[in-house]
Amino acid sequence: MIPLAVPNISGNEEAYLQECVRTNFVSSVGPFVSQFEAAVANETGAAGGVATCSGTAGLHLALTALGVSRGDLVISPSFTFIATANAISHCGAEPWLFDSGEESWTLDIDQVRDRLAAESERFGAELRHKRTGKRISAIMVVYTLGHPGDMDGLKKIARDFNLPILADGAAALGAAYKNKPLADLADLTVFSFNGNKTITAGGGGMVVGNDSELVNRMRHLSTTARVGEDYHHDAVGFNYRLTNLQAAVGCAQMERLEEFVAKKRQIAAIYNSELGEVAGVKPFPAARWASSACWFSGVSLEAGITKSLNEVCNKLKSRGIDAKMFWKPIHMQAPYMRAEREEMATTEATWERVLTLPCSTSITADEQAYVIDAVRSVIGH
Ligand SMILES: *Cc1c(COP(=O)(O)O)cnc(C)c1O
């Protein structure tokens, strides 16, 4: 089977793991955690980073640090992985779901601006949702497939309505936006180091930001809000720390970020050039403003294509190719069917057409050529 996206563990991972074992630093104390935080902060131009045990934990920690609390609404796209919405729920808040734009499959900021103008009102320092009376406390944007959103536009909205921006950049490490450092695009940005991401730590996450006070507050909250060496705690904290073992893998992976992202972009470029011209097939979107980290590659099949996407996936699987459909929108998921939401024209027209194809950084040219031939033949060209 040619896998969809598997880890590429062929650098210093083993040596660094042995160092953890040799020095007995296998848990949340040890030099690799801070080294990993520094590497990611440096890469993204952030003042600091806080490593967490998963991307989801990072999102929860970041929302908490930004003040999202029980009963709030948090603006977020419906076209995302369910962890985005779950992190909002873990705060006791609810997502207010928006469509995504066609040019990037990221948050439709025109819709956000219009609906905020029509449906919100100020009450002193608070912004409230008129119909429900709920406090609107943050905007979440998701860098879909590793592609940053229209952040200059979103920042203006955030300023106008006085809302913080949290970027779920889970798979966007290595992406670029108008030559600006990733950390400058939002108040806080979260990455995931799950096994299917470009850079993995086995599992893990990281929150980066430019406000050092906020970063320190997150570090405090992520380590049970402990004060001093004894059992004093000054807030309801979390145990969200990454272990030194995971960070050791993360450090070895970070040494190869540039190489991995270049390979991901090359894989995407090959699929685009080989399949982009096939009738009924469209490449994934790429907006002018951004250079995607190309976490996942694949194609979008137009409505006219005869077979259902499920059938295409099954036929590819029978040829030894792990091809998959992509995110099912949040408003179609059982826990969120009754969430506050806006029109979903693009999301609903898009999600069932997205076919993700093998794109591990270890894929060979022969394997990718085999996938391309199989896709052509399965969709009937
Ligand atoms: C992978 C991913 C997450 C979750 O990260 P975990 O480390 O698996 O918790 C969240 N959001 C998006 C967009 C992702 O792709």
Side-chain angles (χ1 to χ4, degrees):
M1 198 80 172
I2 303 177
L4 185 69
V6 289
N8 184 339
I9 305 290
S10 50
N12 284 322
E13 291 82 1
E14 193 175 343
Y16 294 171
L17 282 169
Q18 273 175 0
E19 193 176 321
C20 295
V21 173
R22 201 163 30 78
T23 57
N24 207 34
F25 284 127
V26 294
S27 192
S28 53
V29 175
F32 284 118
V33 176
S34 353
Q35 204 177 303
F36 187 39
E37 289 174 340
V40 175
N42 185 48
E43 166 62 32
T44 57
V50 178
T52 55
C53 54
S54 69
T56 310
L59 291 171
H60 183 203
L61 180 67
L63 286 170
T64 304
L66 291 173
V68 172
S69 53
R70 193 155 297 282
D72 290 355
L73 284 179
V74 174
I75 289 169
S76 95
S78 185
F79 191 44
T80 182
F81 182 54
I82 198 155
T84 315
N86 287 347
I88 296 169
S89 300
H90 295 331
C91 295
E94 289 169 58
W96 177 7
L97 299 171
F98 284 77
D99 202 2
S100 289
E102 263 175 74
E103 76 282 33
S104 69
W105 293 348
T106 61
L107 193 61
D108 179 344
I109 66 160
D110 295 329
Q111 190 188 47
V112 171
R113 189 189 309 104
D114 289 353
R115 301 326 297 154
L116 262 178
E119 296 180 36
S120 72
E121 59 190 343
R122 281 246 145 246
F123 267 82
E126 287 191 0
L127 187 69
R128 289 198 198 154
H129 184 248
K130 279 186 196 165
R131 205 170 46 71
T132 59
K134 291 183 172 168
R135 184 173 83 112
I136 304 161
S137 53
I139 301 175
M140 270 178 100
V141 57
V142 178
Y143 298 164
T144 311
L145 297 159
H147 185 302
D150 181 358
M151 299 309 286
D152 283 343
L154 190 61
K155 267 190 172 171
K156 174 150 192 346
I157 296 169
R159 264 199 311 273
D160 290 348
F161 290 90
N162 195 24
L163 291 170
I165 301 177
L166 171 60
D168 178 348
L173 208 53
Y177 176 90
K178 297 182 184 174
N179 296 320
K180 292 180 196 180
L182 269 192
D184 285 2
L185 307 180
D187 292 279
L188 294 172
T189 304
V190 175
F191 303 106
S192 162
F193 302 101
N194 186 43
N196 68 352
K197 302 300 200 276
T198 304
I199 293 288
T200 187
M206 179 109 46
V207 193
V208 300
N210 281 332
D211 179 341
S212 301
E213 228 169 274
L214 195 59
V215 170
N216 290 337
R217 169 101 189 126
M218 286 191 298
R219 184 168 289 111
H220 180 62
L221 284 175
S222 73
T223 51
T224 64
R226 189 174 73 168
V227 182
E229 292 298 309
D230 296 322
Y231 292 96
H232 298 297
H233 308 266
D234 64 0
V236 180
F238 308 103
N239 176 10
Y240 278 173
R241 288 299 283 179
L242 192 72
T243 65
N244 201 49
L245 284 171
Q246 292 166 305
V249 175
C251 284
Q253 292 268 295
M254 279 304 286
E255 294 169 355
R256 303 180 69 190
L257 176 67
E258 216 175 296
E259 174 199 343
F260 284 177
V261 171
K263 174 75 185 198
K264 286 280 192 183
R265 286 179 176 150
Q266 184 194 29
I267 293 166
I270 292 171
Y271 281 132
N272 289 351
S273 70
E274 295 294 316
L275 293 171
E277 304 288 293
V278 175
V281 173
K282 283 202 300 191
F284 288 169
R288 260 172 307 112
W289 65 70
S291 164
S292 175
C294 295
W295 166 45
F296 271 7
S297 283
V299 289
S300 169
L301 301 183
E302 281 174 357
I305 223 108
T306 46
K307 301 174 186 73
S308 78
L309 203 52
N310 232 334
E311 203 182 325
V312 171
C313 289
N314 287 336
K315 289 206 164 149
L316 289 171
K317 283 200 176 109
S318 73
R319 291 170 182 234
I321 294 165
D322 192 11
K324 277 208 182 81
M325 292 181 70
F326 198 47
W327 298 328
K328 180 178 173 184
I330 301 301
H331 70 279
M332 296 178 175
Q333 305 277 5
Y336 298 106
M337 280 181 185
R338 295 168 67 189
E340 203 63 47
R341 71 175 167 99
E342 300 303 325
E343 282 288 310
M344 292 290 171
T346 300
T347 300
E348 285 176 0
T350 301
W351 80 276
E352 273 186 304
R353 309 223 176 109
V354 181
L355 175 67
T356 55
L357 295 169
C359 57
S360 308
T361 54
S362 51
I363 195 171
T364 65
D366 283 352
E367 286 170 332
Q368 201 181 355
Y370 175 78
V371 174
I372 288 161
D373 279 348
V375 172
R376 280 210 183 101
S377 115
V378 164
I379 64 175
H381 295 279

